[in-house]
């Protein structure tokens, strides 16, 4: 009897999680910072801003949050994560070996008041079959990892957090 009660409570809590999930507004695509260190060819050829937003949106529900994408962020109500890409590096290639990295910086607001800031950086050499991947594909691996890191951080945001490879 006790085990079936526990199972029922566990099942109900799993079903209730989406209802209790916090909505967090994020700009899609994530913009490049005005002072970013990102080569123009990365900005024009790769979709790392859109990929970062997508990865965050995909992973946030696993940690009890829902991402709401906006083209312009509301600043005075609700939870808002103001993200920007501050660095992306694309050294190497499929033949000589990839070395890619990306860094995002974010500030979490609640009803217009800053409650936490975060910086996340990831690097990649391309993973399995790197010789068959293009530079943008490998950069997307870095922002996918950053999106996952940020989704986990949003479950328990700590001010001044440094995530990933920092």
């Amino acid at each position: 009897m006790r085990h079936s009660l526990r199972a029922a409570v566990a099942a109900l809590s799993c079903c209730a999680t989406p209802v209790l999930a916090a909505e967090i507004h994020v700009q899609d695509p994530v913009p490049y910072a005005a002072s970013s260190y990102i080569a123009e060819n990365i900005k024009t050829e790769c979709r790392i801003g859109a990929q970062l937003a997508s990865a965050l949106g995909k992973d946030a529900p696993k940690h009890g949050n829902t991402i709401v994408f906006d083209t312009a962020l509301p600043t005075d109500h609700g939870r808002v994560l103001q993200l920007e890409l501050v660095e992306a590096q694309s050294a190497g290639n499929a033949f000589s070996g990839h070395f890619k990295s990306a860094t995002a910086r974010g500030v979490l607001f609640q009803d217009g008041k800053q409650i936490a800031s975060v910086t996340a950086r990831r690097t990649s050499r391309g993973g399995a079959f790197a010789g068959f991947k293009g530079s943008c594909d490998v950069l997307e691996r870095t922002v996918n990892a950053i999106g996952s890191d940020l989704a986990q951080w949003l479950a328990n945001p700590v001010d001044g957090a440094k995530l990933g490879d920092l």
Side-chain angles (χ1 to χ4, degrees):
M1 177 72 171
R2 192 182 309 182
H3 295 290
S4 53
L5 180 60
R6 287 182 185 163
V9 169
L12 286 173
S13 67
C14 290
C15 296
T17 302
V19 175
L20 301 173
E23 282 191 350
I24 302 169
H25 294 265
V26 174
Q27 188 171 347
D28 183 17
V30 173
Y32 298 105
S35 61
S36 66
Y37 299 101
I38 301 173
E40 199 58 39
N41 64 325
I42 293 173
K43 291 178 182 179
T44 58
E45 296 172 20
C46 303
R47 298 178 4 98
I48 60 175
Q51 188 64 34
L52 175 54
S54 176
L56 178 58
K58 182 183 77 127
D59 287 344
K62 297 174 189 172
H63 301 284
N65 292 303
T66 301
I67 302 300
V68 177
F69 295 112
D70 297 303
T71 53
L73 292 177
T75 56
D76 57 349
H77 66 281
R79 289 192 98 146
V80 176
L81 178 59
Q82 187 175 26
L83 273 177
E84 58 186 4
L85 286 157
V86 295
E87 178 268 340
Q89 178 183 356
S90 180
N93 57 49
F95 303 106
S96 64
H98 291 285
F99 182 81
K100 314 295 186 215
S101 67
T103 306
R105 185 173 43 225
V107 179
L108 183 62
F109 294 92
Q110 177 69 48
D111 298 325
K113 181 182 176 200
Q114 180 177 332
I115 57 174
S117 64
V118 62
T119 304
R121 181 173 196 269
R122 285 295 186 150
T123 60
S124 180
R125 305 231 358 129
F129 306 107
F132 298 102
K133 295 178 182 171
S135 292
C136 290
D137 294 329
V138 180
L139 274 171
E140 285 184 9
R141 286 174 52 92
T142 65
V143 295
N144 285 339
I146 290 171
S148 180
D149 294 338
L150 290 170
Q152 187 173 0
W153 174 80
L154 283 169
N156 184 25
V158 174
D159 192 30
K162 298 195 182 313
L163 310 176
D165 297 330
L166 288 175

